[in-house]
Each structure stands twice: as structure tokens, then as C-alpha cells.
Amino acid sequence: MSTNTETADHVVVGPVSELPAGSHKIIQIRNIEVGVYNVDGKFYALPNLCPHQAGPLCEGPVGGEMICNASTVWRFKWHRDGEILTCPWHGLEFDLTTGNCLAPKRFRVRQFPVEVVDGDIRVGTRPISR
Amino acid sequence: MAKEGESPDKSGGPIIDISVHLPDVPKALIPHCEMPWRKSLEIMSRLPPRPHDVSGYSPSIRSDPPIPPGTPEDEKIGTSQELRAGLDRMGTDAAVMLPDHLLHFALLAHFEFSSAVMAAYHRWVTSEWIDPAKGLYGVLIASPFNREATIDEIKRHADHPGVKGLLLPMPGMNPLWGHVRHDPILSAAEEAGLPVILQTVSAVTPSFPTNMEQFQNQFAKKALLHPFQAMAHMTSLIHTGVPAKHPKLQFVFGGAGLSWLPYMLARLDQIHSEYRRELPYLKEPPSAYLQRQMWFSTHKIETPQDAAWLTEAIRKVGADRIMFASGWPFHDHDRPSDVDAFALDADERARIKGGTAAEVFGIKAQANTGTKVGQSA
């Protein structure tokens, strides 16, 4: 986990070049840890805390989603590679782009706003209200 | 005949019993079976049939000795008139008739013989037992060994107004229902609009469910055989996404009572939350499919000292998922009035006793008319 510059409303993670596509970084925002992810050039930030049983969510692997339905003729197919985060404790999967758990639907992680200002990645200190 | 002392149920709606068992001994099917397999049935018929244990027909490894005075005998019915009279005494308006011995059908590995028996059963049940005007309905049997013949039989009989389902035999299945090789049979049932019925039976076999022979008496076998069969087949169907692949297919589980259901609801959803990636066909938790496409019959109704927790179990699953089944003429059969032991409201009881079955099986029955009349919906 990195120490980053913090103001009242955001934390500077660092330059974009330090977080290439497919990578992530865990930072501290006040008293919580937040994982910041670069998903194909777009940045997302979410708590390092699984809503299932409080596991270190952002220590889990990032991958895709297996799908199998009528559109795939009921054959397994890999889908959305790089967009799904899996909790290392119990394997619950979360959509990095929305925070939604793939199953069960009642679980959802908050997201923090992320913007790039002057080449730096900034994460807001207040979660996005939904 | 139903037992002396049984009184007709006088509740409001029609009473539909979805599990009455026919005397499908080998001798009964002889006139309906093609040669040379008719000869096999004739050989089997020379020995007195044992309950659920006719070698080559309903085989079961019965390693436990009878403990005096023995198990109570099942009642005997010989004709559809006798069956109708027994239903009248219980106040039952309509019934779905299932096989008895041939609940073991998946154990008949001989390809040609089992195919001939399947066709013979269908000729027997449609010509001698099914009578929608009297509220008597039947089901077809699926052969896991000969899916082409099964599909042909479905096409041949599905339009019969008294054929209301397809029995998927449970013990002896390998692989279980849910394996992709069985999909064509399920597709045919779905296309024909036939609910599939998974009815448990006390069969100790060298195949699924295994290891039951180690138990020394019927107490242990009955305690485990029925729910194990139901749990295993339900899990198999869900773990390969069958309800999602066949969204119009209706599954009716019978013979295992009700108390196993809350466990499955909780357990399947819990495991699914952690292993969702292994079941990408499911867009919802397993319980959602269970509570949309699966129904459960009551027999054998558990009788805990405190009926309240079983009432709670029914409500956890949903009273609209439960359908009354007597299991008659088995000695341990239930009566429609046994549903009254649960602290359910009148609408819930009416649904369990017949309302839901009327919808699932497409049966229109009149309630308590004296002369029971049923017809296809």
C-alpha cells in the first residue's frame, strides 16, 4: 500500500504512467483502504473490503466472467476479461465497473470517484452516492 | 380400498392427489408387451412379486432380514374401478397415477427389454387405467438408456388427454438427470408441455445411490434413500443449468417429504454465491429456479411433535410449490386431511390439496361432487 498526497476532497494516487492498464494499487483514504484499478484505460476505485465477510477484496485476482447461455449455444465462453474482481477469501465476484456482485445480487461495493488531473490520478474521498 | 375409518376431505377446493401407484407387476404388462420380451415377463410372473423387488424388473438389494412381525402390507388394487373407489373414500377428486415397481426403471439396463417394457407400460396405462372422465390421469416413463425410443413414446402419447407428465426414474441413474446426454429427453418433454416427475423410491442398488446396503434395516434406508435421491438429482439438474436451458420445463419432486427443502434452499444459494463462475448458465441463485420451475409433493408427510416448524418449512419454500400426494396404496399413505396439521391459511391449504396441481398438470377437477369427475383443462 502506498502513501499518497491527501486533501479534504481527494487523494492523489500518482501519475497515470504508474498505473498501466490491467494494474491496480491499494491506497489509504482516511481510515479505509481503497483499491484503484485501471481497466482498459478507465480508472475505478473501491474499498478493499468484501461486503460478504469482510475479506481483503482488492487482494484478489482480476479476470473475466465465464458465460454460458443461448447466445453461446450453451457452451462456456470467456467474457469481459480484466473487468471482474474475485475476493480471495470466498470467491465472490464483483464487476469493477459497477461494484455489483455477480452473485448474490444483494452484495455491492461502493465506488469512489476517480479523475485524471494534469496527468495525475485523483480519487475522491467520498464514495459515489447511488 | 382406502383404509376403514378414512373419511372424505371436506375442504373447499378440488382434491388432487399427484402420487397414486399402480399395480404394475410383470403379469399386468404381459398382454401389452412385444415378443420376445413378453416371454421374459411371463417367466418373472411365475414367482410371487415382492414389494419393489422383482429380479430383472424392479431389482433391489434387500440384504436386511424381515424383523417380526414384518412391514405392514401395502393395500391391493386390481382395477381402475377399485382405485377410483379408494380415492372416493379419501375425498379425492382426481389423481395422477405413477408406476410402482417401475419406479426402478433406470435399473433395467437391458436395452431392448427395457425399451419394450416402457412401451408396454404406456399401452397398459393408457388402455386400462387412464380415464379423465373419472379423474384418473397417468404419466409416461423415460428410458435413460434409449432416449430415441423415449422421444418417440412422448410424441406418440403426449396428446392423450389423460397423460400429464413424464416420469424420470431416479435410483440407478448414472449419470444423473442433469447430464447433457439426457437433454434431448428433457427437450421433448418441454416441447410436449409435460412436467417431469422425479419420484424417489426405496431401492438399494449397486449404482446410485451407493453404499445404502451397509445399513442394517429399512429404518436407515428409508431415512436416507428418499431425500438423498431428491437432493442429488435436484443438484445435478441445477449444476448443469437444466432449468435455465429449459425455462418452460416444470419439475415435480415426490416421495421425499418436505423437510429437506429449506436445507437445499439455503445450501445451494450459499455455495452458488462462492462458485457462481462454475454455473454461468444460472442468471439467478438456484433458489430462484427452484421456486419458479420446481414443485414438491407432500408424501411422506413428516409428523414432528411440533408441527409449527414444518409449517415454517413449507412457507420458506412457498406453499404454492407444494402439492398433496398420498402415496396410496402404500401402507404409509397420507390423506388429504393430513395437510390440515399445518397452521396454514385456507387458501394455502386449498392450493396444496389441489389448486396448484390443477395448474401444473392441467387438470380441471370438481370438488366434492360425490361422483368424482375430472377432465383435461
Side-chain angles (χ1 to χ4, degrees):
Chain A
M1 190 177 61
S2 304
T3 302
N4 304 90
T5 307
E6 180 172 350
T7 68
D9 61 353
H10 70 265
V11 172
V12 177
V13 179
V16 169
S17 59
E18 288 185 4
L19 201 65
S23 68
H24 80 284
K25 188 175 185 179
I26 296 175
I27 63 170
Q28 187 86 24
I29 297 182
R30 296 173 186 160
N31 61 343
I32 67 169
E33 295 178 2
V34 171
V36 185
Y37 290 81
N38 182 338
V39 179
D40 202 20
K42 290 187 176 179
F43 295 95
Y44 301 91
L46 60 160
N48 183 20
L49 188 72
C50 182
H52 176 224
Q53 289 185 324
L57 177 60
C58 298
E59 293 177 14
V62 175
E65 173 189 12
M66 195 72 83
I67 62 170
C68 181
N69 53 43
S71 72
T72 68
V73 200
W74 299 104
R75 303 289 298 271
F76 280 60
K77 185 179 178 184
W78 192 239
H79 184 60
R80 301 182 65 201
D81 192 27
E83 298 183 20
I84 308 299
L85 172 62
T86 301
C87 179
W89 275 15
H90 300 103
L92 272 69
E93 301 159 284
F94 293 87
D95 184 335
L96 280 170
T97 68
T98 65
N100 292 337
C101 183
L102 302 191
K105 306 289 187 194
R106 68 179 184 277
F107 291 134
R108 187 179 194 182
V109 290
R110 294 176 299 167
Q111 290 181 296
F112 290 82
V114 187
E115 60 181 351
V116 176
V117 178
D118 298 333
D120 283 338
I121 302 166
R122 290 183 178 182
V123 177
T125 55
R126 292 190 182 86
I128 299 170
S129 58
R130 290 185 291 200
Chain B
M1 298 291 289
K3 289 176 181 173
E4 291 298 328
E6 288 180 338
S7 57
D9 187 277
K10 297 298 182 187
S11 61
I15 307 295
I16 300 176
D17 181 344
I18 68 161
S19 178
V20 170
H21 298 271
L22 294 175
D24 56 351
V25 292
K27 185 178 180 181
L29 267 57
I30 289 173
H32 302 276
C33 193
E34 294 176 348
M35 288 290 285
W37 308 113
R38 188 187 312 155
K39 292 295 178 187
S40 297
L41 295 177
E42 289 174 0
I43 293 169
M44 294 173 188
S45 299
R46 291 172 194 155
L47 295 174
R50 287 158 43 85
H52 290 155
D53 191 14
V54 175
S55 180
Y57 190 75
S58 55
S60 182
I61 302 171
R62 298 293 293 269
S63 57
D64 53 297
I67 303 297
T71 305
E73 287 198 12
D74 297 334
E75 294 176 61
K76 301 289 190 295
I77 51 173
T79 65
S80 63
Q81 290 77 18
E82 291 175 9
L83 188 146
R84 181 64 262 180
L87 296 175
D88 284 345
R89 293 190 60 173
M90 288 187 277
T92 300
D93 298 288
V96 177
M97 303 174 293
L98 305 179
D100 181 9
H101 285 277
L102 292 179
L103 294 175
H104 294 59
F105 190 64
L107 289 160
L108 305 189
H110 193 289
F111 184 83
E112 288 192 39
F113 173 70
S114 62
S115 302
V117 167
M118 172 176 64
Y121 179 84
H122 295 159
R123 285 191 282 268
W124 176 69
V125 75
T126 53
S127 65
E128 297 190 23
W129 294 91
I130 290 177
D131 188 347
K134 293 181 179 175
L136 302 180
Y137 300 90
V139 302
L140 307 177
I141 301 176
S143 166
F145 300 108
N146 192 343
R147 68 185 184 195
E148 289 76 17
T150 300
I151 292 167
D152 286 344
E153 286 291 293
I154 291 172
K155 290 177 179 172
R156 185 171 294 120
H157 295 290
D159 288 339
H160 189 297
V163 168
K164 293 300 182 185
L166 175 70
L167 178 82
L168 305 183
M170 296 174 88
M173 284 294 294
N174 185 13
L176 301 179
W177 294 107
H179 191 279
V180 69
R181 79 161 59 161
H182 305 309
D183 267 1
I185 292 176
L186 302 181
S187 293
E190 183 181 31
E191 188 175 336
L194 292 178
V196 292
I197 298 160
L198 295 111
Q199 183 74 18
T200 65
V201 64
S202 294
V204 179
T205 84
S207 51
F208 168 80
T210 57
N211 287 340
M212 289 293 162
E213 73 282 358
Q214 69 183 285
F215 293 105
Q216 299 180 29
N217 52 44
Q218 290 297 304
F219 163 83
K221 292 171 184 172
K222 282 188 174 290
L224 298 178
L225 271 167
H226 294 257
F228 276 14
Q229 288 172 49
M231 288 176 176
H233 280 285
M234 174 190 281
T235 304
S236 181
L237 288 164
I238 287 175
H239 98 296
T240 54
V242 169
K245 292 178 187 173
H246 302 280
K248 294 180 181 174
L249 192 56
Q250 298 172 305
F251 303 84
V252 179
F253 289 82
L258 301 174
S259 57
W260 59 285
L261 286 166
Y263 165 80
M264 290 299 283
L265 277 171
R267 185 72 175 172
L268 291 176
D269 280 5
Q270 161 60 24
I271 303 298
H272 174 256
S273 71
E274 299 183 14
Y275 292 86
R276 188 217 61 84
R277 67 191 67 77
E278 296 182 355
L279 300 92
Y281 3 76
L282 302 187
K283 290 299 178 193
E284 301 166 89
S287 62
Y289 294 92
L290 190 154
Q291 291 177 305
R292 186 167 57 240
Q293 285 176 254
M294 297 183 181
W295 287 263
F296 309 93
S297 76
T298 53
H299 189 258
K300 171 62 185 164
I301 295 177
E302 294 96 338
T303 51
Q305 287 189 340
D306 180 2
W309 73 258
L310 197 54
T311 303
E312 184 66 19
I314 289 172
R315 288 208 164 117
K316 283 277 186 278
V317 180
D320 60 343
R321 316 314 298 172
I322 311 296
M323 296 186 274
F324 171 71
S326 71
W328 187 69
F330 296 154
H331 70 272
D332 62 348
H333 71 270
D334 296 317
R335 302 153 189 80
S337 56
D338 290 330
V339 174
D340 297 334
F342 308 121
L344 301 168
D345 63 40
D347 180 62
E348 290 172 319
R349 286 182 190 163
R351 289 196 67 82
I352 291 174
K353 289 183 180 180
T356 298
E359 294 171 4
V360 171
F361 291 103
I363 293 173
K364 188 178 288 182
Q366 298 176 10
N368 298 320
T369 56
T371 301
K372 307 301 172 185
V373 177
Q375 63 183 74
S376 292

